[in-house]
Amino acid sequence: MTGPAHRYTVISADCHAGADLPDYKPYLGKRWHDEFDAWAATYVNPYEDLLADTADRNWNSGRRLAELEADGIVAEVVYPNTIPPFFPSASLMAPVPGSAELERRWAGLRAHNRWLADFCAAAPGRRAGVAQILLNDVEQAAAEVRWARANGLSGGVLLPGVPPGSGIPELYSQAYDPLWAVCAELDVPVNHHGGSASPQLGDEPAARAVFMVETTWFSHRALWHLTFGGAFRRHPGLRLVLTEQGSGWIPGVLEMLDYYHGRLVAAAGRTATAEAKFGAGLAAAMGARPSEVWHDNCYVGASFMRPHEVPLRSRIGQDKIMWGSDYPHDEGTHPYSREGLRIAFAGLPPQEVAAMVGGNAARVYGFDLALLDPIAARVGPTVEEIAEPLTEIPAEATSPAFAPEGRVRVW
């Protein structure tokens, strides 16, 4: 949407936040306090950005609002960033816990969710917090989704990755139906963020390179697991958002999935063929073709969208794309989000830009534009500003949004 002063109402569909580690303690049940003190005393944070003097961007509400407004952004979807209690690393990347760790990890995630509810309440209508769950116990996960919805976390739920060998059912399993049912019933978006679902590869140079090559692919798997698994047929109101995984890959992957769907469904009717067993029951189980499922149920959090992704917007679905700044990460567009918007969207019809930079996110996450438009009229980028092509990249910009065209490809 454009605000009343011909400014865009910009909602970042991908930002990150979390508490400073000691500040999680009050959100833990008292039975965990002594154990938390012992754990926190020996925990060594492995992330430089969470040790820097700018780390408070994750939890300093006033600083965060001021910096986002200076960047032209009036509201945000808030994914996790800091280390929850009892986790070995950021929760997006942490391995699936075994039975010995499960209760502690649940306590840590619940502490984060309760901190996040208070953090979002400090800026009413401007933060859609994404609740965290574990998949080891589906009933517990569904109960936490109910708690999150009832306590103002409007960003939906973060779907953990299920790497191969994790010991829990794959995402296509009907074991997760109680969770999908609650999300559909309460209109809770299911978010799957890039970086999740990769197997543990170690820390050798080759392992780090392989991680970079494979990490987005492992994140993409949630799309075809839920689609072929029939989750959207059994729960038509279920919505899946794939965030910070790029968007340029989507048209090609949908074509590939449609190809396999058609091939396997056709083969199922020819029992004498070798492929017949692979397509048996597929049509009845999943219903529509994958591309139809995408357009009915799925969205993309297209963080720091690159210029070469924009021409694909009609194939992706202009009503599916939600721009994000990835604040406060180094790869995010802050403090050059206005320039990031220009390099991606200059020359496009304003109504298309308005949808991708804010209108779609408002619809998916329930932001109230009547509340946000007046703020955008004060701080949002003007339509004329974003229409002006960016001719000079800011010297200190670190986001891939500003990589020279042709050097970055989103798979």
Side-chain angles (χ1 to χ4, degrees):
M1 295 287 290
T2 55
H6 304 292
R7 294 176 182 264
Y8 289 114
T9 299
V10 181
I11 299 170
S12 173
D14 180 27
C15 288
H16 296 264
D20 194 10
L21 189 58
D23 293 336
Y24 277 126
K25 182 176 178 178
Y27 293 94
L28 286 165
K30 289 185 178 179
R31 60 166 289 204
W32 295 105
H33 284 189
D34 289 345
E35 193 166 346
F36 173 80
D37 289 342
W39 172 80
T42 60
Y43 184 79
V44 177
N45 196 317
Y47 302 108
E48 291 183 6
D49 63 316
L50 297 180
L51 299 172
D53 59 4
T54 55
D56 75 325
R57 288 171 173 164
N58 286 282
W59 57 79
N60 185 328
S61 183
R63 176 178 185 172
R64 191 178 184 97
L65 285 172
E67 291 191 351
L68 287 173
E69 286 188 3
D71 231 13
I73 297 168
V74 299
E76 56 175 329
V77 179
V78 186
Y79 287 89
N81 199 43
T82 61
I83 312 299
F86 310 124
F87 270 69
S89 63
S91 51
L92 271 174
M93 309 293 291
V96 175
S99 57
E101 278 290 300
L102 186 58
E103 190 178 10
R104 280 163 43 102
R105 295 277 191 91
W106 258 120
L109 286 192
R110 289 192 176 105
H112 172 82
N113 292 342
R114 281 139 187 80
W115 173 87
L116 183 61
D118 283 351
F119 187 69
C120 291
R126 301 184 66 178
R127 293 175 181 148
V130 179
Q132 296 190 76
I133 58 171
L134 294 169
L135 296 177
N136 306 62
D137 186 321
V138 177
E139 295 298 335
Q140 280 196 69
E144 190 67 8
V145 169
R146 289 192 181 278
W147 181 92
R149 190 59 158 169
N151 286 273
L153 291 180
S154 57
V157 62
L158 181 60
L159 180 64
V162 181
S166 63
I168 61 175
E170 296 281 3
L171 288 176
Y172 54 71
S173 172
Q174 294 189 34
Y176 298 117
D177 271 5
L179 176 60
W180 309 146
V182 168
C183 290
E185 172 198 341
L186 300 180
D187 198 23
V188 168
V190 175
N191 304 279
H192 195 56
H193 195 281
S196 182
S198 294
Q200 298 296 302
L201 296 172
D203 197 40
E204 296 181 26
R208 295 194 295 270
V210 168
F211 173 83
M212 287 301 297
V213 170
E214 295 180 345
T215 183
T216 52
W217 183 85
F218 277 106
S219 297
H220 299 343
R221 292 172 78 226
L223 174 60
W224 52 83
H225 276 231
L226 268 68
T227 299
F228 284 128
F232 300 107
R233 183 192 64 77
R234 295 189 300 277
H235 310 282
L238 184 65
R239 294 180 295 158
L240 175 67
V241 182
L242 303 173
T243 295
E244 202 177 332
Q245 304 176 30
S247 62
W249 59 277
I250 292 169
V253 165
L254 290 177
E255 289 179 3
M256 177 193 71
L257 298 179
D258 276 355
Y259 164 75
Y260 278 109
H261 174 265
R263 174 177 162 182
L264 294 173
V265 168
R270 299 191 296 271
T271 56
T273 67
E275 283 192 340
K277 60 180 180 295
F278 292 100
L282 182 63
M286 67 170 287
R289 293 184 305 147
S291 59
E292 295 175 78
V293 171
W294 170 266
H295 288 292
D296 288 343
N297 299 91
C298 303
Y299 302 85
V300 58
S303 307
F304 40 79
M305 201 167 183
R306 285 81 155 181
H308 64 273
E309 297 174 271
V310 177
L312 299 171
R313 64 193 184 280
S314 61
R315 295 175 62 195
I316 298 167
Q318 291 177 21
D319 60 337
K320 301 294 178 181
I321 297 169
M322 302 180 289
W323 178 88
S325 70
D326 199 30
Y327 176 94
H329 287 167
D330 289 343
E331 65 267 28
T333 51
H334 174 80
Y336 303 108
S337 291
R338 297 169 187 271
E339 290 83 357
L341 292 169
R342 287 173 60 192
I343 200 170
F345 300 124
L348 269 59
Q351 65 271 21
E352 294 185 17
V353 178
M356 291 186 285
V357 305
N360 293 337
R363 177 167 44 85
V364 171
Y365 294 105
F367 286 102
D368 182 0
L369 292 173
L371 170 71
L372 297 179
D373 284 348
I375 304 171
R378 174 172 54 85
V379 305
T382 66
V383 172
E384 295 76 16
E385 177 185 359
I386 302 306
E388 184 69 25
L390 187 69
T391 57
E392 184 175 350
I393 304 298
E396 296 182 357
T398 56
S399 173
F402 302 108
E405 192 69 7
R407 295 187 186 177
V408 174
R409 181 172 182 179
V410 180
W411 295 95

